[in-house]
């Protein structure tokens, strides 16, 4: 018999997402660590609930759900919370013992010989970013390595040391990030039907385009459209002008200090930032830019991505439009200087096509030509059609004879 303790109810208007459930639970494999990483409103908790419900029901496993709070931070409070919840639900002995949890709560790591209990246990840690830290990460890694009956499932806004858990524990791991958590067009259409709109209609397609698949924004815009008397497209055509986006932007800026708000607005001038670019745009030292970006990640405004060994922080595009618009109206930056800073960063990180696109937006055809000549082989042979479109847009007066 399955035991699903303290799970939140699945929202009535949520939709099934079998493609993600298959990733989280591959056929014939029981991953020891499942990581859901993404910004606020991307659907982590809802998907965790659907997955936990399906897995516990199907496999008859004991499952303990913890929605973590800030006062759970630290090894003592965190493991005491785990022990108390397991004890309250009579789940001690299902993969974790009282002795091992007492050792963890005291800040230690249980020895290999410590009893680990019997039976299979899945421990769901939602909002893990509120407690994450090197010590707890290391303890979880040790526990996973030494307790084959345990599975840990994490929902978090920050990646932090989660990869170190995988490396230290050497256990089978599944990662679902913000890119995969975003709605597909078909999922947005299904949700449109759930709120009383016509699926696969112009309205649902327009909502998906405006929200860029962000589940929270998609749901809000579909509700807004369903309440409109004529269900006109103007209610959802522009994510940056929607009431939902505006309210999110205002609330986010209000929570930050004046310095933090200015950092966010200046950083939003780029669609994605390295630490160095964020520092250059905001005028702070790189050592100060990193914790600012980390705070934005915790707030759920954006996520980190890694490409070719370079880490980029990306504010969700739906929100970035609103932050960028706010920056233009409330700040007095030299937009040309900021754009040239972004352009230089594209070149420094081997992104000549993006640099050419920005040079074209600036009308800096001299710089456009320099990049084109320096990176001809890379950009022309791999991006021939895009380059052709940019070349055809060059004003005649800017062309050299």
């Amino acid at each position: 018999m399955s035991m699903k303790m303290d799970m939140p109810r699945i929202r009535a208007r949520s939709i099934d997402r079998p493609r993600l459930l298959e990733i989280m639970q591959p056929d014939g494999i029981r991953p020891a660590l499942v990581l859901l990483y993404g910004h606020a409103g991307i659907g982590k908790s809802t998907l965790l609930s659907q997955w936990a419900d399906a897995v516990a029901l199907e496999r008859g496993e004991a499952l303990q759900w913890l929605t973590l709070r800030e006062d759970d931070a630290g090894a003592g409070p965190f493991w005491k919370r785990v022990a108390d919840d397991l004890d309250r639900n009579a789940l001690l002995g299902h993969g974790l013992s009282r002795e091992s949890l007492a050792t963890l709560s005291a800040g230690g790591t249980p020895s290999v010989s410590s009893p680990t209990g019997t039976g299979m246990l899945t421990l769901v840690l939602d909002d893990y970013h509120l407690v994450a830290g090197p010590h707890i990460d290391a303890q979880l890694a040790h526990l996973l390595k030494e307790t084959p009956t345990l599975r840990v499932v994490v929902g978090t806004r920050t990646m932090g040391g989660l990869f170190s858990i995988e490396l230290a524990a050497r256990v089978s791991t599944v990662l679902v990030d913000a890119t995969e958590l975003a709605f597909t067009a078909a999922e947005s259409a299904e949700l449109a039907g759930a709120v009383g709109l016509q699926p696969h209609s112009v309205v649902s397609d327009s909502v998906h385009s405006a929200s860029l698949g962000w589940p929270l924004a998609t749901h809000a815009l579909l509700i807004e459209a369903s309440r409109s008397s004529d269900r006109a497209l103007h209610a959802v055509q522009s994510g940056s002008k929607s009431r939902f986006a505006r309210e999110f932007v205002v609330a986010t800026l209000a929570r930050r200090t004046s310095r933090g708000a200015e950092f966010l607005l200046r950083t939003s001038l780029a669609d994605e930032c390295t630490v160095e670019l964020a520092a250059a745009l905001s005028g702070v030292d790189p050592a100060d830019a990193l914790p600012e970006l980390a705070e934005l990640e915790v707030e759920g405004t954006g996520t980190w991505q890694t490409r070719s060994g370079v880490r980029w922080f990306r504010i969700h595009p739906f929100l970035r439009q609103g932050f960028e618009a706010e920056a233009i109206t409330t700040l007095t930056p030299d937009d040309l200087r900021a754009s040239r800073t972004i352009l230089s960063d594209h070149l420094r990180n081997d992104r000549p096509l993006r640099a050419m696109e920005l040079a074209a937006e600036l009308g800096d055809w001299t710089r456009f030509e320099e990049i084109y000549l320096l990176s001809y082989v890379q950009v022309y042979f791999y991006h021939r059609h895009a380059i052709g479109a940019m070349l055809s847009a060059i004003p005649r007066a800017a062309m050299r004879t």
Side-chain angles (χ1 to χ4, degrees):
M1 180 180 295
S2 64
M3 291 176 284
K4 301 168 286 183
M5 299 301 180
D6 303 329
M7 281 178 53
R9 291 183 178 181
I10 298 175
R11 293 178 180 178
R13 286 175 172 168
S14 62
I15 61 171
D16 294 333
R17 309 188 75 184
R19 65 181 180 88
L20 296 181
L21 295 179
E22 290 176 6
I23 295 175
M24 296 173 67
Q25 188 68 32
D27 289 340
I29 300 176
R30 182 184 186 270
L33 179 62
V34 181
L35 308 175
L36 269 64
Y37 166 59
H39 46 76
I42 197 68
K44 300 183 297 296
S45 298
T46 300
L47 181 61
L48 280 175
S49 296
Q50 293 174 339
W51 175 86
D53 191 65
V55 169
L57 184 64
E58 176 184 344
R59 297 178 179 251
E61 294 186 13
L63 184 146
Q64 177 64 56
W65 182 293
L66 289 89
T67 299
L68 297 168
R69 306 178 296 262
E70 290 183 354
D71 57 6
D72 294 323
F78 173 71
W79 292 111
K80 184 179 185 304
R81 169 83 188 280
V82 173
D84 288 348
D85 283 14
L86 289 174
D87 191 24
R88 174 169 50 82
N89 292 317
L91 290 181
L92 283 173
H94 289 78
L96 287 177
S97 70
R98 191 181 302 275
E99 293 82 357
S100 63
L101 288 171
T103 302
L104 291 164
S105 184
T109 51
S111 63
V112 176
S113 59
S114 295
T116 57
T118 59
M120 308 295 286
L121 174 67
T122 293
L123 191 62
V124 178
L125 306 175
D126 198 15
D127 289 339
Y128 181 74
H129 55 276
L130 296 177
V131 303
H135 194 185
I136 293 179
D137 289 348
Q139 288 181 313
L140 274 175
H142 177 86
L143 199 61
L144 281 168
K145 184 167 60 176
E146 302 299 336
T147 315
T149 54
L150 175 67
R151 167 167 48 190
V152 175
V153 184
V154 173
T156 181
R157 294 180 186 178
T158 63
M159 184 54 68
L162 290 177
F163 276 123
S164 69
I165 294 180
E166 176 190 3
L167 293 174
R170 295 294 192 274
V171 296
S172 58
T173 303
V174 169
L175 170 65
V176 182
D177 63 18
T179 303
E180 294 167 313
L181 286 165
F183 278 158
T184 64
E187 289 169 336
S188 293
E190 183 179 349
L191 185 59
V195 301
L197 293 169
Q198 183 67 35
H200 299 289
S201 64
V202 176
V203 172
S204 67
D205 291 345
S206 180
V207 165
H208 182 75
S209 178
S211 68
L212 301 173
W214 183 20
L216 181 62
T218 302
H219 188 270
L221 294 177
L222 285 172
I223 292 295
E224 185 176 340
S226 68
R227 291 173 178 172
S228 174
S229 58
D230 57 358
R231 296 181 180 177
L233 289 180
H234 69 81
V236 296
Q237 281 179 334
S238 174
S240 64
K241 295 181 180 178
S242 75
R243 182 168 58 253
F244 171 80
R246 176 63 181 168
E247 290 174 353
F248 194 102
V249 166
V250 170
T252 300
L253 293 174
R255 288 195 302 267
R256 301 179 64 78
T257 64
S258 57
R259 178 184 175 184
E262 183 171 345
F263 176 89
L264 170 55
L265 293 177
R266 291 185 181 277
T267 302
S268 70
L269 295 173
D271 57 353
E272 54 187 8
C273 283
T274 57
V275 173
E276 293 75 17
L277 178 56
L281 289 172
S282 60
V284 303
D285 292 333
D288 295 326
L290 183 56
E292 288 282 358
L293 292 173
E295 186 176 345
L296 290 176
E297 185 185 30
V298 172
E299 290 175 353
T301 305
T303 54
W304 288 98
Q305 299 176 349
T306 301
R307 294 192 305 275
S308 303
V310 179
R311 293 190 77 209
W312 301 86
F313 186 80
R314 183 176 179 83
I315 296 174
H316 192 279
F318 180 85
L319 294 177
R320 181 183 163 265
Q321 296 174 16
F323 287 123
E324 185 181 29
E326 189 73 13
I328 293 172
T329 58
T330 62
L331 300 178
T332 57
D334 182 343
D335 290 334
L336 184 60
R337 181 196 63 78
S339 295
R340 292 191 186 284
T341 300
I342 298 169
L343 188 153
S344 298
D345 190 76
H346 287 327
L347 290 176
R348 184 168 59 251
N349 288 285
D350 196 27
R351 304 166 77 183
L353 182 64
R354 297 289 294 277
M356 290 179 66
E357 290 171 341
L358 187 51
E361 290 178 16
L362 293 170
D364 189 344
W365 302 110
T366 300
R367 188 67 165 144
F368 180 95
E369 180 185 30
E370 291 174 358
I371 302 169
Y372 179 71
L373 294 176
L374 285 172
S375 309
Y376 174 79
V377 173
Q378 180 180 355
V379 297
Y380 184 75
F381 284 97
Y382 290 98
H383 307 284
R384 184 173 304 179
H385 296 297
I387 295 298
M390 282 190 280
L391 290 174
S392 64
I394 298 177
R396 182 175 298 276
M399 293 184 179
R400 297 194 180 202
T401 57

